[in-house]
Amino acid sequence: MLGGVNGESSPVPGLAMLRSYRRAWLPRDLVAGLVLTALLVPQGMAYAELAGLPAITGLYTSILCLLAYAVFGPSRILVLGPDSSLGPMIAATVLPLVAADGDPQRAVVLASALALMTGAIMMVAGLGGLGFVADLISKPTMIGYMNGLALTIFVGQLPKLCGFSVDAKGFGGEVAGFVQGVLAGEVVPAALAVGLGGLILIGVLPRVLPRIPGVLVVVVLSMLAAALFGLDERGVVLVGTLPQGFPPPTLPLIGLSDVLPLLAGAAGIALVSLTDTISTASSFAAREGRTIDGNREMVGIGAANLAAGFFQGFPVSTSGSRTAVAVQVGARTQVTGLVGAAAITLILLLAPGLLRTLPQPTLAAVVIAASVSLADVPGTVRLFRVRRTEFALSVAAFLGVVLLGVLPGIAVAVALSIGNVFRRAWWPYQTVLGRVPGLPGFHDVRSYPEAELLPGCVLVRFDAPLFFANARTFREQLERRSRSDPAPRWIVVAAEPITDVDTTAADMLHDLDVALNGRGVHLVFAEMKDPVRRKIDRYELTGTLDPAHFFPTLDAAVDAFRRETGARWTAPQPG
C-alpha cells in the first residue's frame, strides 16, 4: 500500500507518520509545501470559479482538504485539492439549484452540502470495502470522458480569457455565445493579451525551466502587468481583495427538494474522484515498488471532503500534476500538505490583498491549461490503432459529455463500461481446437489453420461463464456443430474458461444434452473447475449428463474417445 511512513496499517495514518517523522525530512517538506502553495492558491481560486463559486472558497477548500488528508489519507505524497475535472460536475449539480438571481451564498451552501454528501458516500463505501467501484469506468471510456470534459472546459473558459462573459447552457450554447460575443466586438484586447500570454507561458516554461512552476511565474507577471499598466482601467477584471480571516465551521442547510439532485451529483463526483485517485496513487506507488488500498484511499478522500464541506468548501480530488510537482521538489510526507495549508491560512489572515491585482483572464488561462492536460489524444489514437471497439466506446463517452452534459456524461461512461463487459460475456469468443504437430496442447484452428482434427470428435472452447445472457449462444453453437456432416459422436467442451454456470444455463445444458443424445451425440466436458463442477452436482445435472463424461484434461478426454473409436488425427482438407 502507498501508506504513511511506518503507519500503513494505522486507522489514522497521519498521526502514525508524525510519530515516526525524521527531522532530516523537514527541510524538503517545507520547501515542497511552499512551492505547492504557489500552485494551490491560483489553481484553487481558478477551479472555484470553474465550479461557479466565489474564488475565496477554493482557498478554504484547499486548506481543509490538505489538513484532513494529512491525518486520514494513506498516501504519504498525494496532494488533494480543487480539481479541474470536478469543477464542471460541481457547477452542473449546483447551478441549476441556485435561485434565479444567482445568489453566490446559496451556491456556496449547496456546494458545501455536496462536499459533505460526497465525503459521506466515500467514507461509507471505503469502510464497507467498496473500493472496487473505481473499476466501474474502463480506461477507454475514461479517456473519452476526460476528452469531452477537456473540450467542455476549454470552450467554457474562452469568453473569460477574452474579457467578456456568456450566459448560455450546454456546449452548443456556449460555442454560439462565444462566437456571437467575438462578432459583436466584446473582446477586451488587454484581457486577451494577458490570457493568451499566460497560456503560452504555462505551456512553454515547464519545457524551458522544468523546476520552476510555470503557473507561479504567470501569476506574478500578470499581477505586475496589472499594476504597471493599469489593466483594470483597460477593461480587465481583477480578482480584488479577498475576505480576511477564516470561516467558522458551518452546517449547510438545504431544502428537501435539493437532496436528490445533490445526491446524484455526489455519487458521480465520488466515482470520478476515486477513479482519478486510484489511477494517480497507483502510478506514484509503482515508482516506489508499493501497492495501494482503494478502500483506505476512499476513507482519506472522504475525510477531506467532509472537512471541506463544514468550512464553505466544495468536493475535492487528487491532483496528479500537483503531486508530481511535490515529488519533483523533494516532498517526503504529508507534512508538505500541512505546510501548504498553513501558508494559505497565513495569506488569508495577514495578507488578503496580496492577490487583488490578479487578472481574471490569468485564472482562465490556468483552467484552460489544466483542461488541455485532461485530454489524452495519444491514448485515443492508440485505441483507434489497436482496438476499434474500445475506440468507439471512447468516442461515445466523449459525445455523451459534449452533447448531454457533464453529469449525464459520467452516467454514459459508466453504462458504456458495464455494457462492454456484458457484451463480451454475452457474445464471447468461441472456437474449435485442434492438434498442431510439434506444438504441445490443443490450439485455436483460426490461429493454426493447419491444425489436425479428430474425426467424430469436436473440441470446442467457450471463453466466458455460462449465464442467462449467453446460454442460447452456447446452445446454438453446439447444436450447429452437432449437425455437421459427418455428424460428431462427441462434442468435448474445453471448460477451463467457464468460471460459472447459473440456473438458466443449467436448464439449457439439461435440454441440450437431451437433444444431442437424441441424435447420438454425447456432450463431454474437460478441465471444468471444481467450484463449477460442484454447482453441476448441486443442480442435479449429472442425472442427465453422464458423470463418466467429465475429464480432468483435454488429453484425457481425447484419449478416451480414441480408445472407444480408434479414431486418428487427420490433417484438414484443402478448401
Side-chain angles (χ1 to χ4, degrees):
M1 163 187 353
L2 184 60
V5 179
N6 296 329
E8 284 87 348
S9 59
S10 171
V12 187
L15 296 182
M17 177 271 296
L18 289 176
R19 284 197 295 267
S20 60
Y21 192 79
R22 301 177 187 174
R23 186 175 299 177
W25 296 339
L26 186 58
R28 287 190 174 187
D29 281 341
L30 282 173
V31 172
L34 294 175
V35 171
L36 270 182
T37 302
L39 293 177
L40 289 166
V41 171
Q43 287 185 342
M45 296 169 67
Y47 298 159
E49 295 194 345
L50 176 62
L53 302 167
I56 186 65
T57 60
L59 302 186
Y60 298 156
T61 301
S62 298
I63 294 170
L64 270 302
C65 75
L66 288 173
L67 292 174
Y69 190 82
V71 176
F72 295 100
S75 167
R76 65 186 179 88
I77 48 88
L78 284 186
V79 178
L80 266 66
D83 188 68
S84 57
S85 64
L86 299 189
M89 299 182 73
I90 297 169
T93 304
V94 168
L95 296 186
L97 303 177
V98 176
D101 58 356
D103 181 8
Q105 190 54 46
R106 173 163 164 74
V108 171
V109 170
L110 291 169
S112 297
L114 184 64
L116 292 178
M117 290 181 182
T118 302
I121 289 172
M122 300 192 80
M123 289 284 283
V124 170
L127 294 173
L130 301 179
F132 65 87
V133 298
D135 299 330
L136 285 178
I137 306 182
S138 66
K139 186 171 182 179
T141 50
M142 195 63 180
I143 288 175
Y145 174 79
M146 286 299 180
N147 286 343
L149 201 60
L151 181 60
T152 301
I153 295 172
F154 179 83
V155 170
Q157 292 296 305
L158 284 178
K160 188 175 175 181
L161 190 77
C162 296
F164 64 95
S165 60
V166 170
D167 184 14
K169 293 183 178 180
F171 179 78
E174 290 182 339
V175 171
F178 174 70
V179 172
Q180 290 172 2
V182 171
L183 295 178
E186 296 181 19
V187 176
V188 178
L192 181 59
V194 170
L196 281 180
L199 194 57
I200 292 171
L201 285 176
I202 291 174
V204 171
L205 283 175
R207 295 177 174 83
V208 179
L209 302 170
R211 291 190 171 275
I212 298 179
V215 171
L216 174 60
V217 174
V218 168
V219 167
V220 172
L221 290 179
S222 65
M223 290 170 61
L224 288 175
L228 292 175
F229 301 109
L231 294 182
D232 56 334
E233 298 176 359
R234 298 173 182 268
V236 179
V237 180
L238 306 180
V239 168
T241 302
L242 298 173
Q244 187 173 22
F246 199 76
T250 306
L251 180 64
L253 300 178
I254 59 174
L256 190 60
S257 60
D258 299 327
V259 172
L260 286 181
L262 289 176
L263 272 176
I269 289 170
L271 180 59
V272 171
S273 178
L274 178 63
T275 303
D276 189 31
T277 297
I278 295 299
S279 174
T280 303
S282 299
S283 174
F284 284 96
R287 302 180 186 183
E288 302 180 0
R290 299 170 181 260
T291 58
I292 64 166
D293 186 333
N295 295 319
R296 299 189 69 211
E297 286 294 351
M298 290 184 86
V299 172
I301 304 170
N305 277 283
L306 288 175
F310 281 118
F311 288 87
Q312 299 184 25
F314 50 85
V316 298
S317 180
T318 302
S319 169
S321 61
R322 292 191 289 267
T323 301
V325 170
V327 172
Q328 186 181 44
V329 295
R332 300 300 302 269
T333 69
Q334 283 295 335
V335 168
T336 295
L338 295 176
V339 171
I344 299 173
T345 302
L346 289 176
I347 290 174
L348 291 177
L349 294 176
L350 305 179
L354 182 65
L355 300 173
R356 67 182 183 278
T357 59
L358 178 60
Q360 290 283 2
T362 299
L363 295 182
V366 171
V367 173
I368 288 176
S371 74
V372 172
S373 70
L374 290 177
D376 188 357
V377 176
T380 305
V381 172
R382 178 177 175 272
L383 287 176
F384 179 81
R385 189 175 66 251
V386 302
R387 187 148 186 171
R388 298 293 175 86
T389 55
E390 295 196 343
F391 170 76
L393 287 175
S394 181
V395 171
F398 169 83
L399 294 176
V401 176
V402 172
L403 300 179
L404 301 179
V406 175
L407 287 179
I410 191 62
V412 169
V414 172
L416 287 172
S417 296
I418 295 174
N420 189 37
V421 173
F422 192 71
R423 177 189 64 83
R424 293 177 184 176
W426 193 349
W427 296 299
Y429 185 77
Q430 45 192 312
T431 189
V432 172
L433 304 178
R435 190 183 73 164
V436 180
L439 192 62
F442 301 92
H443 304 278
D444 189 342
V445 297
R446 296 177 184 173
S447 301
Y448 298 91
E450 73 281 9
E452 297 176 342
L453 303 177
L454 194 61
C457 181
V458 179
L459 307 179
V460 297
R461 195 182 72 210
F462 190 82
D463 292 350
L466 273 175
F467 69 117
F468 66 93
N470 62 24
R472 182 173 59 84
T473 302
F474 179 85
R475 176 170 181 163
E476 288 177 351
Q477 176 194 246
L478 267 61
E479 287 189 331
R480 186 170 63 253
R481 301 294 179 191
S482 73
R483 293 190 176 94
S484 61
D485 187 20
R489 294 178 60 179
W490 280 21
I491 295 180
V492 180
V493 179
E496 195 274 337
I498 299 177
T499 56
D500 191 22
V501 175
D502 71 1
T503 55
T504 302
D507 292 340
M508 176 275 296
L509 289 176
H510 174 276
D511 296 341
L512 174 63
D513 191 50
V514 170
L516 292 179
N517 288 340
R519 292 196 288 272
V521 180
H522 295 290
L523 183 58
V524 178
F525 292 91
E527 300 181 348
M528 180 174 283
K529 298 178 184 296
D530 288 343
V532 180
R533 176 59 195 273
R534 286 194 290 269
K535 289 182 180 180
I536 294 294
D537 292 337
R538 191 160 61 246
Y539 297 147
E540 299 181 347
L541 281 177
T542 48
T544 304
L545 298 172
D546 187 348
H549 285 168
F550 287 84
F551 294 91
T553 66
L554 278 172
D555 282 313
V558 168
D559 290 344
F561 178 79
R562 295 185 65 191
R563 284 195 303 270
E564 180 178 311
T565 64
R568 295 178 178 274
W569 291 100
T570 61
Q573 298 298 317

